[in-house]
Amino acid sequence: MSELEAKKMPDQTSVLEVARKDDGKFVEPLQLGKRLKEIRLANNLTLEEASRLTGLARSTLSKIENEQISPTFQAVQKLTAGLGIDIPQLFVPPQDGPTANGRRDITRKDEGTPHPTTTYEHELLCTQMRDKKMVPFKCTVRARSFDDFEDWVRHEGEEFMLVLSGVVEVYTEFYEPVKLSEGDSIYYDARMGHCLVSVSKADAVVLWVTSR
């Protein structure tokens, strides 16, 4: 090894050189570029958007994805921070079929996005993740009577509802009203007319998860 190589800084060392070594032996070649592209597309990001998030030039990202260059450790740190993933996720072999894309979104207590209506006070959860297959939200039920609604609530998808506190009465278009208490849950076709009201002393709080 030359003196120049001996002085090479860790952040200048190709991360592939580090990841491929296993007690002095090389494992199967990694396809980091393909894996990076897989993660980017799973998050519906263009190269320009990924460039803004990671601070790496668009041309650099393109070369990494096309296996033209190997990213330095410093570049990998920027990739994982910008894309919101952990370093090990970059070294999972690319999949030909459906696979986990490593996305996640966290909402701290009482830090959701408020969306009040005349009957419900919604708190939208995990709003930073785009193109979700489910829409979760917490709701304080202000309505006290079926007459508080001008019409049935109905929309596409299916819906799951869990009572967090209080008691609600659930009205649905094709069923008799049913009371649900803390810990009770219900799952239904959201295209069917539905609504719920609080029947406990305090306004009930529920968790709703709606499919898109």
Side-chain angles (χ1 to χ4, degrees), residues 107-179:
T107 302
R108 300 294 182 185
K109 182 179 179 181
D110 299 326
E111 292 184 2
T113 302
H115 182 72
T117 70
T118 56
T119 51
Y120 303 132
E121 188 173 325
H122 298 306
E123 181 187 356
L124 306 181
L125 308 174
C126 300
T127 57
Q128 299 302 309
M129 187 181 295
R130 302 183 304 170
D131 299 320
K132 297 191 296 292
K133 292 181 174 60
M134 298 182 292
V135 180
F137 52 100
K138 190 164 62 172
C139 173
T140 300
V141 183
R142 302 297 189 196
R144 288 289 173 167
S145 167
F146 180 76
D147 295 332
D148 290 342
F149 296 86
E150 296 182 0
D151 196 1
W152 288 109
V153 176
R154 50 166 59 90
H155 49 83
E156 290 298 319
E158 297 179 329
E159 203 154 60
F160 169 80
M161 189 268 289
L162 170 69
V163 182
L164 300 178
S165 66
V167 182
V168 297
E169 189 161 25
V170 182
Y171 292 85
T172 48
E173 193 172 7
F174 306 125
Y175 298 89
E176 290 296 318
V178 60
K179 288 184 179 179

Side-chain angles (χ1 to χ4, degrees), residues 95-116:
Q95 301 293 321
D96 294 327
T99 184
N101 57 39
R103 299 198 303 166
R104 76 173 189 181
D105 193 355
I106 296 173
T107 302
R108 300 294 182 185
K109 182 179 179 181
D110 299 326
E111 292 184 2
T113 302
H115 182 72

